[in-house]
Amino acid sequence: MENPDLLVFPHSFSKHQDDIEKPHIFSLDNKNLTTYNLMGFIGRNSTQLTISSRFAKDENNDYFLHYMLQKVFSINLLKFDQTPNKENIWDFLLYLFPYYLKKAYSQGIYKAYKKEEYNDTNVKGSIDVKRHILRNIPFTGKIAYTTREHSYNNNLTQLIRHTIEFIGTHPYGNGVLTGDSELRDIVSKFIFVTNKTYNGNSRQKIITANLKPVTHPYFTEYSALQKICLKILRHEKITFGKEKDKVYGLLFDGAWLWEEYLNTILKENFIHPENKTSKHRHYLFENNIQSIFPDFISKVEPKSVGDAKYIPLDRQQSYSENSEKATSIYYKTIAYMYRFSSKNGFLIFPRQDSSFFETYRIKETEGTLKKIGLAIPQTTENFKEYIKTMNGNEEELRQHLMTNKTPNAQQAFGSMAGEVVN
């Protein structure tokens, strides 16, 4: 990779069919800077550009981006408040660590050959003559020898352990490492297998030992985890590096993040096909021709199919209802409705302050297509209040989808503020 310190998430943007794989991050036209779906940070040498979501009050209070990241990556931070600090760029990396740790652990704990030194009576390797003379003369019955054996306690698992310890010292560390019982169990296992030789003072030595990317035909998920760990542990060098034309940063695809966030609040009642992993793949035609991946398919009858859209779909939208862009948005969802014999389709998009509903009846049919705008708070005083408001909005959205209400066209309802949903 030309700029290894520039991280993009997800890694395979082109597989999500959002055109985010195109080689430009932003465009500049008539002094207007357009950043498309990307959010995050990017820098070159000492210059840094913050790309906030369109719902951020300012670059230091992008609660919406942090909230989606915490939901998608199963992190629980109730007392989060951003500060005007350049180190914020690497706080985002902490959110990615649990995600990659779980993916890597799904393949088991990484094992690698490691040189071990012993001094006992159970000789099973090469005798270390020099060490034997130093330790066992006069002869006491023991033999000094070395072996090369598979071990869970190796440079990569030590790197993971150092990352765990580092995150534990971060202000948000407890919320990152204790998001759920599965994560807590995985963390405890890595601590257990590395306890024998873990030394906090050897961090730089472990980092150096991991500079060569890990390659293994089975433990494939550990490559990405190793990279994230190195970025977290070397964040100061990355941020303030002096290499000429050094490009660094962390960028998220807003459309992908919005879709995955919606899945966290709808997964109990809706299936979420994944075109990257081919999970819940469906086909448009017989004989398994033309694979399709609707964003959401209801688990119960009557079937509902829906699409997540990060772009605004209300009356303040930037395109005409008769435009080619609008046509493609509607046609895709209606095609999914036809494929699954559904009379109910929906499009969900984020909307400032108040929620939005609009229902289109498909002419001369019983089908309806709803446009639903989920309210994104703009006036909350702190992140805890923001979470409470969003929880209420999400519950109202779930209730609306499950009761299958059909409001009158252009009916809008106000803010969905409510109680915290546990």
Side-chain angles (χ1 to χ4, degrees):
M1 183 178 177
E2 185 176 350
N3 295 297
D5 292 327
L6 176 61
L7 301 180
V8 291
F9 196 89
H11 291 307
S12 303
F13 280 158
S14 61
K15 294 183 181 180
H16 295 277
Q17 303 176 354
D18 292 318
D19 293 331
I20 199 166
E21 76 279 8
K22 293 180 179 178
H24 51 266
I25 294 174
F26 57 83
S27 63
L28 184 63
D29 182 31
N30 296 326
K31 298 183 179 181
N32 292 319
L33 184 67
T34 304
T35 57
Y36 306 101
N37 283 339
L38 288 176
M39 296 182 285
F41 303 86
I42 187 170
R44 179 179 179 183
N45 298 328
S46 60
T47 302
Q48 181 175 307
L49 174 67
T50 300
I51 308 176
S52 303
S53 74
R54 66 177 183 269
F55 300 98
K57 291 192 290 186
D58 56 67
E59 68 176 81
N60 297 314
N61 286 284
D62 196 352
Y63 287 159
F64 182 57
L65 174 56
H66 278 264
Y67 181 74
M68 287 197 296
L69 288 172
Q70 290 185 25
K71 293 282 283 189
V72 171
F73 297 115
S74 301
I75 299 170
N76 183 26
L77 300 181
L78 292 176
K79 295 183 179 180
F80 167 81
D81 275 292
Q82 291 173 262
T83 56
N85 186 330
K86 283 191 176 182
E87 289 300 289
N88 249 357
I89 181 174
W90 301 114
D91 290 343
F92 283 97
L93 286 172
L94 305 187
Y95 296 165
L96 302 185
F97 178 74
Y99 174 86
Y100 282 108
L101 182 64
K102 287 181 178 180
K103 288 191 68 176
Y105 182 75
S106 68
Q107 298 179 328
I109 297 179
Y110 184 83
K111 293 179 69 174
Y113 280 108
K114 183 181 178 183
K115 181 181 178 181
E116 296 283 0
E117 296 182 345
Y118 295 96
N119 187 51
D120 53 39
T121 59
N122 303 314
V123 181
K124 54 181 179 180
S126 302
I127 296 176
D128 188 334
V129 177
K130 182 178 180 180
R131 189 160 53 89
H132 178 72
I133 293 173
L134 289 173
R135 299 188 62 179
N136 300 318
I137 301 299
F139 185 63
T140 61
K142 295 181 179 180
I143 305 292
Y145 62 96
T146 60
T147 65
R148 186 171 180 265
E149 56 191 45
H150 259 133
S151 174
Y152 291 122
N153 184 18
N154 50 67
N155 287 329
L156 182 52
T157 55
Q158 283 288 334
L159 180 73
I160 296 168
R161 172 67 183 276
H162 279 274
T163 307
I164 290 170
E165 297 296 333
F166 175 82
I167 292 175
T169 64
H170 192 277
Y172 312 146
N174 288 333
V176 171
L177 296 176
T178 59
D180 54 55
S181 58
E182 179 190 7
L183 179 60
R184 291 192 294 270
D185 182 59
I186 294 172
V187 168
S188 67
K189 283 184 169 61
F190 277 95
I191 291 176
F192 176 78
V193 300
T194 56
N195 258 344
K196 181 179 177 181
T197 59
Y198 172 75
N199 183 348
N201 295 324
S202 65
R203 182 162 297 169
Q204 187 54 52
K205 179 181 177 182
I206 294 297
I207 290 173
T208 302
N210 280 275
L211 293 180
K212 181 180 179 180
V214 61
T215 56
H216 195 285
Y218 176 74
F219 293 107
T220 54
E221 297 292 349
Y222 276 87
S223 177
L225 177 60
Q226 180 191 43
K227 186 175 184 180
I228 291 296
C229 289
L230 287 172
K231 301 308 180 189
I232 291 173
L233 295 177
R234 301 176 69 216
H235 69 295
E236 290 184 358
K237 291 184 179 180
I238 293 173
T239 305
F240 303 109
K242 296 181 179 180
E243 292 89 334
K244 182 180 180 181
D245 294 330
K246 187 176 187 66
V247 176
Y248 59 89
L250 179 60
L251 297 172
F252 297 93
D253 174 6
W256 174 86
L257 194 58
W258 171 246
E259 178 183 326
E260 294 303 310
Y261 156 68
L262 288 177
N263 182 49
T264 66
I265 62 178
L266 300 179
K267 61 185 178 181
E268 183 177 339
N269 305 110
F270 288 85
I271 297 170
H272 175 52
E274 301 172 8
N275 50 348
K276 182 179 179 182
T277 64
S278 296
K279 185 177 180 181
H280 302 302
R281 179 199 298 268
H282 295 275
Y283 295 92
L284 187 60
F285 303 111
E286 291 183 348
N287 301 319
N288 293 341
I289 298 175
Q290 183 64 51
S291 58
I292 56 174
F293 298 90
D295 289 344
F296 300 102
I297 308 170
S298 62
K299 296 179 180 179
V300 297
E301 300 291 342
K303 285 288 185 186
S304 295
V305 292
D307 211 9
K309 293 296 179 185
Y310 188 64
I311 57 177
L313 297 178
D314 54 13
R315 288 301 181 184
Q316 285 72 48
Q317 60 197 15
S318 57
Y319 58 89
S320 166
E321 290 287 17
N322 294 317
S323 68
E324 184 177 341
K325 187 174 185 178
T327 299
S328 65
I329 291 173
Y330 298 144
Y331 279 16
K332 186 172 86 167
T333 304
I334 293 172
Y336 290 156
M337 292 169 60
Y338 183 77
R339 160 63 180 82
F340 293 98
S341 302
S342 170
K343 299 176 182 178
N344 306 298
F346 59 88
L347 301 166
I348 306 179
F349 66 99
R351 188 174 191 262
Q352 287 189 0
D353 289 322
S354 61
S355 297
F356 175 89
F357 278 88
E358 192 168 66
T359 299
Y360 291 168
R361 289 197 174 277
I362 303 173
K363 195 168 183 177
E364 298 179 2
T365 75
E366 296 181 4
T368 60
L369 180 62
K370 300 178 183 179
K371 292 196 296 187
I372 306 172
L374 176 63
I376 309 301
Q378 298 292 294
T379 59
T380 53
E381 294 296 325
N382 52 57
F383 194 58
K384 186 174 183 179
E385 181 184 338
Y386 188 92
I387 292 175
K388 181 177 180 179
T389 304
M390 283 298 296
N391 287 166
N393 296 357
E394 293 161 359
E395 178 60 17
E396 190 77 17
L397 172 65
R398 280 191 293 264
Q399 292 298 324
H400 176 81
L401 287 174
M402 294 314 299
T403 54
N404 223 359
K405 296 177 182 177
T406 305
N408 294 327
Q410 302 182 29
Q411 177 185 359
F413 62 94
S415 177
M416 290 181 176
E419 299 296 322
V420 176
V421 178
N422 295 319

